[in-house]
Amino acid sequence: MAKARKTFLFGRDRIATATRGRGKHEHTLGGPHDRTGTARADCNGILIHLLHRLDLTDPAVPIRIPGVRWLPLYYCFDFRANDLGYRLVSDEELVTFFPDDDPNVSPEESWPDDEGYPLEFPTCPITVGAFGYDPADLEDACRWAGVFGIGKLSARDQATAKERTAELMDGLGLHAPETDEEFERVMCSPFAQGRPDDPCLNPACPNREKRGQLTPIALLPAEPVPGVHTFGRYGGGVQLIFQLCPECATIRVSNQCD
Ligand SMILES: [Zn+2]
């Protein structure tokens, strides 16, 4: 499984990375909340943290959301919620949604580090650059199959990719996939625990009841910039996955461990 150590941004057949550094655009990571709807009082008493804040007018950012210039990546590191949803109303406002059906959450406020978990992450500049990805290349397609699938490969390369996957699973003593659905489930790199297929968290959205409709837009490692350990000292293997609902522009954030 590919370990995500960089922050990756996904668009239509495009990948970019977001790293610490100054560019022409004022992308940042960390800092105070950037719009209304994010305060504890608006979030069931839960403190959410701002990670990246991306200027979508930068052509290097592969993500476009109608009516949105500044895309904030928020997450709740408080274990009272594993997933966070938020709908971007404008560049000044968002609305959060918390799942009410997740049994694996803490009843009380608790943080990845018991002592001194920061109220916000220190602000640092971020620069976005292209990351080589060719959907028609066998290795690239396999590495990013969980995001883009392998449908842009030639029929011959698709067969090779499946053969390799079946051999790999067989070598591990696991059931080798046979159907297209089984291959899709298994070929999930770079997601450590499988391709996410959660429904939209917006109760008013037609995708609230449908799985597999959301589009991955970002994958963050636990240390998105050097020195910022978002999951504390021992949470180095946690990934954050940001998915966008194409119906209502709600973002759903969830974590996976590798
Ligand atoms: Zn939706």
Side-chain angles (χ1 to χ4, degrees):
M1 197 69 60
K3 276 197 178 179
R5 291 292 175 245
K6 291 182 171 148
T7 293
F8 292 105
L9 308 175
F10 306 116
R12 192 176 292 254
D13 291 337
R14 278 176 65 200
I15 302 177
T17 55
T19 49
R20 186 182 181 118
R22 273 179 211 287
K24 267 193 259 172
H25 295 264
E26 295 186 348
H27 314 296
T28 49
L29 180 141
H33 291 164
D34 76 331
R35 62 196 69 200
T36 59
T38 49
R40 268 185 193 262
D42 301 312
C43 300
N44 301 344
I46 290 176
L47 174 66
I48 62 173
H49 280 69
L50 178 61
L51 292 153
H52 296 74
R53 186 169 184 267
L54 302 169
D55 182 352
L56 301 188
T57 64
D58 180 354
V61 179
I63 305 159
R64 294 290 172 268
I65 303 173
V68 174
R69 174 175 180 184
W70 291 98
L71 169 64
L73 301 184
Y74 279 99
Y75 186 61
C76 49
F77 292 94
D78 179 348
F79 293 126
R80 280 182 294 175
N82 282 326
D83 282 27
L84 167 68
Y86 54 96
R87 185 169 68 83
L88 299 168
V89 178
S90 68
D91 279 335
E92 285 80 42
E93 185 184 1
L94 61 72
V95 179
T96 49
F97 308 109
F98 292 87
D100 52 13
D101 55 353
D102 188 346
N104 302 310
V105 293
S106 162
E108 282 154 22
E109 180 167 338
S110 64
W111 298 94
D113 261 328
D114 295 343
E115 287 167 29
Y117 197 82
L119 292 174
E120 63 187 47
F121 299 120
T123 309
C124 83
I126 292 290
T127 179
V128 176
F131 183 84
Y133 167 70
D134 175 0
D137 175 84
L138 179 61
E139 307 306 328
D140 282 6
C142 289
R143 183 176 176 201
W144 300 100
V147 179
F148 302 103
I150 60 166
K152 297 260 166 82
L153 288 180
S154 67
R156 191 174 154 186
D157 281 346
Q158 287 191 32
T160 306
K162 287 179 175 179
E163 243 167 66
R164 278 195 203 170
T165 305
E167 273 170 26
L168 185 71
M169 299 295 287
D170 198 45
L172 292 168
L174 299 166
H175 167 70
E178 288 164 14
T179 65
D180 282 350
E181 290 74 37
E182 285 176 347
F183 274 108
E184 211 170 277
R185 202 171 327 125
V186 170
M187 298 176 75
C188 61
S189 177
F191 301 116
Q193 290 178 286
R195 182 195 298 243
D197 72 341
D198 315 285
C200 182
L201 280 169
N202 176 3
C205 177
N207 285 336
R208 180 70 190 92
E209 306 298 332
K210 285 190 220 157
R211 291 189 165 270
Q213 304 300 308
L214 311 187
T215 312
I217 55 168
L219 180 65
L220 271 61
E223 189 181 356
V225 291
V228 173
H229 298 272
T230 57
F231 281 92
R233 284 161 291 176
Y234 308 112
V238 186
Q239 303 176 324
L240 278 185
I241 301 166
F242 290 77
Q243 299 179 83
L244 178 69
C245 175
E247 283 283 344
C248 72
T250 291
I251 290 164
R252 179 169 184 147
V253 199
S254 43
N255 73 68
Q256 289 193 347
C257 300
D258 62 16

